C-alpha cells in the first residue's frame, strides 16, 4: 500500500495498521516535507498560545518505527499514472503501487503581495507569529472564519491590538446562521478586537492591508486566514477526478485501487446526502482509517464513510462545539439556554431532518444527545419536540 502525505498531519494519521492487514505488506509513505513528527493546523493553533516546541507530538516516534514503514520524507510526488499504477517523483523515479491513498492535504490561500504576511498551517507558522505578538503591536487578521477568529482571540490575550477583517456582512453566517454569527462578532468586540465586516482586502502592503475602496488598514503584522486550496496539482492529467479536492464516492474511493483521505478528500457522505470536504484533525484521523480499511477489504466488506462532522473552538475561554452539517440549513432554533447569556444549544434543520447542533458555554453532555440524534437521522419535529418536553 502506498500512501502520499504532502503536508504534515494527514498522512501521519494513516500510519496506524488497520485491523486485519497482513503485517508483511509493504507500506511506503512519501512526503515533501523533511520532517513529519509534529504538524497540522490544530497543533499550530495550540503553539500560538504555548511556545515550547516538541510538546505536541502527533504520534510517538516509537509507534511509527514499529510499523516498519518505508518512510521517504522530503520526497515529493509530481504525477500519477492510473493505467500503469505508478507514482512519479520529483527526481524522475517512478514507484509502483498496489493500492494508493492520497492524503496530500491543503495549503493556505494567499493574497496579492502577502509574501511578508503570516499564515497558520504548521507549528513553525504559529511560532513565527507568536514571536511578533508583543503587547501593543497591531495585528490585522484577514478572514473571520474559525481559524482567523481563534487567532484573533489568542493574539488579543497576548496583548496585541487586533483588527479582524471579513468580506461577509456577518462572520460565519453561511455556516452557523445570522444570529449566532452576530453573537460571535459581538464576543470579539467585547474583548477589545475591532471586527470590520463587509470589507474586501485587495492586497497586503508594507504598512498593512489595502481595501477595495483604497483605504489602507495599518498593521505591524498581518495574518491571512482566507481559506485553503487542496494540493491536487500533481494529479493534473492523471485522469483522477479533481474539483475542490479529490472527488470520491461514499467509500472514499476516487478510482479503482485509489482512495483519498483528510483535508484533500471530497467524498459523498451518505448520512447527509451531500458531498463534503472537512478540514479538521479528528476527521482526518477517522477518514484515514476508513480509507485504509476499505482499500484492504474485499469489495463486499467495504463500508461507507458516514461520520457526523465535529469541530470545536474556545475563543476567550468559552467553548464552542458543533456536530453535523450546518451549511445550507433551512432553519436554526435555540432549543436550550439563550444567545444573550452566551450559553445555549442551537439546532439546525435541512428539509425535515435535524442536520446539526451547536453549543456555546455548555457542558459536553448537552450536545451528546444531539450528536446521537443527528447520527440516527432524526426527524426535525421529533428532535426539537423531545428537547422542549
Amino acid at each position: 500500500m502506498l500512501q502520499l502525505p504532502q503536508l504534515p498531519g494527514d498522512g501521519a494519521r494513516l500510519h496506524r495498521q488497520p485491523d486485519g492487514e497482513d503485517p508483511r505488506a509493504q507500506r511506503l509513505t512519501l512526503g515533501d516535507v523533511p520532517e513529519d513528527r509534529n504538524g497540522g493546523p490544530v497543533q499550530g493553533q495550540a503553539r500560538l498560545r504555548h511556545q515550547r516546541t516538541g510538546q505536541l507530538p502527533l504520534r510517538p516516534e516509537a509507534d511509527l518505527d514499529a510499523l516498519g514503514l518505508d518512510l521517504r520524507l522530503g520526497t515529493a510526488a509530481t504525477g500519477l499514472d492510473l493505467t500503469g499504477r505508478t507514482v512519479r517523483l520529483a527526481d524522475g523515479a517512478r514507484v509502483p503501487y498496489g493500492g494508493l491513498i492520497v492524503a496530500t492535504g491543503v495549503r493556505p490561500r494567499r493574497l496579492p503581495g502577502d509574501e511578508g504576511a503570516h499564515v497558520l498551517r504548521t507549528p513553525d507558522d504559529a511560532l513565527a507569529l507568536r514571536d511578533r505578538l508583543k503587547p501593543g503591536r497591531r495585528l490585522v487578521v484577514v478572514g473571520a472564519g474559525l481559524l482567523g477568529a481563534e487567532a484573533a482571540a489568542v493574539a488579543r490575550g497576548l496583548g496585541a491590538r487586533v483588527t479582524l477583517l471579513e468580506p461577509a456582512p456577518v462572520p460565519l453566517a453561511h455556516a452557523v446562521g445570522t444570529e449566532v454569527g452576530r453573537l460571535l462578532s459581538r464576543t470579539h468586540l467585547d474583548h477589545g478586537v475591532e471586527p470590520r465586516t463587509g470589507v474586501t482586502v485587495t492586497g497586503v502592503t508594507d504598512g498593512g492591508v489595502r481595501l477595495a475602496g483604497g483605504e489602507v488598514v495599518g498593521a505591524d503584522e498581518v495574518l491571512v486566514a482566507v481559506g485553503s486550496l487542496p494540493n491536487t496539482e500533481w494529479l493534473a492529467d492523471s485522469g483522477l477526478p479533481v474539483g475542490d479536492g479529490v472527488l470520491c464516492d461514499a467509500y472514499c474511493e476516487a478510482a479503482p485501487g485509489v482512495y483519498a483521505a483528510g483535508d484533500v478528500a471530497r467524498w459523498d457522505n451518505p448520512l447527509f446526502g451531500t458531498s463534503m470536504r472537512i478540514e479538521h484533525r479528528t476527521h482526518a484521523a477517522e477518514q484515514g482509517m476508513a480509507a485504509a480499511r476499505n482499500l484492504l477489504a474485499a469489495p463486499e466488506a467495504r463500508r461507507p464513510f458516514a461520520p457526523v462532522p465535529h469541530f470545536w473552538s474556545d475563543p476567550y475561554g468559552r467553548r464552542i462545539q458543533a456536530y453535523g452539517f450546518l451549511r445550507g440549513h433551512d432553519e436554526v432554533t435555540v432549543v436550550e439556554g439563550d444567545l444573550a447569556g452566551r450559553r445555549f444549544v442551537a439546532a439546525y434543520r435541512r428539509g425535515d431532518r435535524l442536520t446539526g447542533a451547536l453549543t456555546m458555554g455548555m457542558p459536553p453532555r448537552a450536545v451528546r444527545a444531539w450528536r446521537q440524534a443527528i447520527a440516527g437521522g432524526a426527524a426535525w419535529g421529533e428532535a426539537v419536540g423531545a428537547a422542549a418536553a
Side-chain angles (χ1 to χ4, degrees):
M1 180 169 62
L2 180 67
Q3 303 168 350
L4 296 172
Q6 203 168 15
L7 290 175
D10 288 357
R13 293 161 199 144
L14 293 167
H15 290 156
R16 180 179 172 183
Q17 180 174 303
D19 297 338
E21 181 185 348
D22 185 344
R24 296 168 298 177
Q26 180 181 9
R27 295 182 296 275
L28 168 64
T29 300
L30 305 175
D32 73 348
V33 290
E35 294 182 88
D36 195 12
R37 291 294 182 262
N38 305 287
V42 172
Q43 287 83 356
Q45 290 175 49
R47 286 190 182 185
L48 192 55
R49 294 190 181 90
H50 309 293
Q51 190 158 1
R52 291 195 306 273
T53 60
Q55 65 178 0
L56 297 166
L58 184 63
R59 188 81 71 207
E61 191 161 343
D63 288 358
L64 294 179
D65 293 340
L67 291 174
L69 296 172
D70 181 355
L71 186 60
R72 303 184 192 179
L73 300 178
T75 304
T78 59
L80 172 64
D81 180 353
L82 292 175
T83 303
R85 285 184 171 256
T86 59
V87 173
R88 185 174 66 254
L89 307 184
D91 61 6
R94 292 181 179 268
V95 180
Y97 67 86
L100 171 67
I101 295 180
V102 178
T104 45
V106 297
R107 65 187 183 280
R109 191 183 298 273
R110 308 302 299 245
L111 292 173
D114 73 351
E115 292 80 6
H118 298 270
V119 294
L120 275 179
R121 179 64 190 170
T122 70
D124 286 344
D125 292 337
L127 292 178
L129 177 57
R130 193 186 191 283
D131 286 345
R132 306 291 296 176
L133 293 180
K134 308 301 182 184
R137 287 184 67 81
R138 300 171 300 165
L139 172 68
V140 165
V141 180
V142 184
L146 289 174
L147 178 61
E150 184 157 318
V154 174
R156 189 72 192 100
L158 294 172
R161 295 157 53 194
V162 181
T163 301
L164 185 59
L165 304 179
E166 168 61 35
V170 179
L172 291 170
H174 65 287
V176 302
T178 300
E179 292 305 314
V180 175
R182 285 176 178 157
L183 172 62
L184 297 178
S185 187
R186 288 197 300 271
T187 302
H188 287 296
L189 189 63
D190 292 346
H191 286 83
V193 171
E194 180 188 2
R196 294 185 59 179
T197 59
V199 297
T200 300
V201 175
T202 58
V204 178
T205 70
D206 289 339
V209 299
R210 187 178 302 279
L211 305 185
E215 176 188 355
V216 173
V217 181
D220 300 306
E221 306 294 333
V222 175
L223 170 64
V224 176
V226 293
S228 61
L229 295 171
N231 290 315
T232 58
E233 290 77 9
W234 69 283
L235 296 169
D237 303 322
S238 69
L240 202 68
V242 171
D244 187 38
V246 177
L247 305 182
C248 305
D249 62 14
Y251 301 96
C252 305
E253 187 177 36
V258 179
Y259 290 71
D263 296 354
V264 76
R266 173 167 287 279
W267 92 107
D268 296 328
N269 188 330
L271 181 60
F272 300 93
T274 190
S275 172
M276 58 180 66
R277 185 173 65 82
I278 306 294
E279 297 183 25
H280 298 294
R281 179 180 179 274
T282 53
H283 167 83
E286 294 169 0
Q287 192 171 27
M289 289 187 284
R293 289 191 180 102
N294 283 337
L295 185 151
L296 296 167
E300 66 277 6
R302 297 189 310 164
R303 291 180 293 177
F305 182 56
V308 176
H310 168 236
F311 73 82
W312 63 269
S313 183
D314 56 355
Y316 311 107
R318 189 170 288 268
R319 176 61 61 95
I320 297 170
Q321 295 186 88
Y323 284 97
F325 189 63
L326 278 57
R327 292 172 181 260
H329 60 266
D330 298 318
E331 179 184 354
V332 54
T333 299
V334 175
V335 294
E336 184 177 345
D338 61 83
L339 297 180
R342 301 185 185 185
R343 189 175 184 276
F344 63 89
V345 178
Y348 293 77
R349 175 183 67 82
R350 186 177 184 184
D352 61 357
R353 279 190 54 192
L354 170 72
T355 55
L358 182 145
T359 69
M360 183 177 191
M362 301 291 283
R365 66 176 181 276
V367 75
R368 203 167 291 140
W370 289 96
R371 182 192 184 283
Q372 294 171 351
I374 296 165
W380 173 256
E382 176 187 341
V384 174

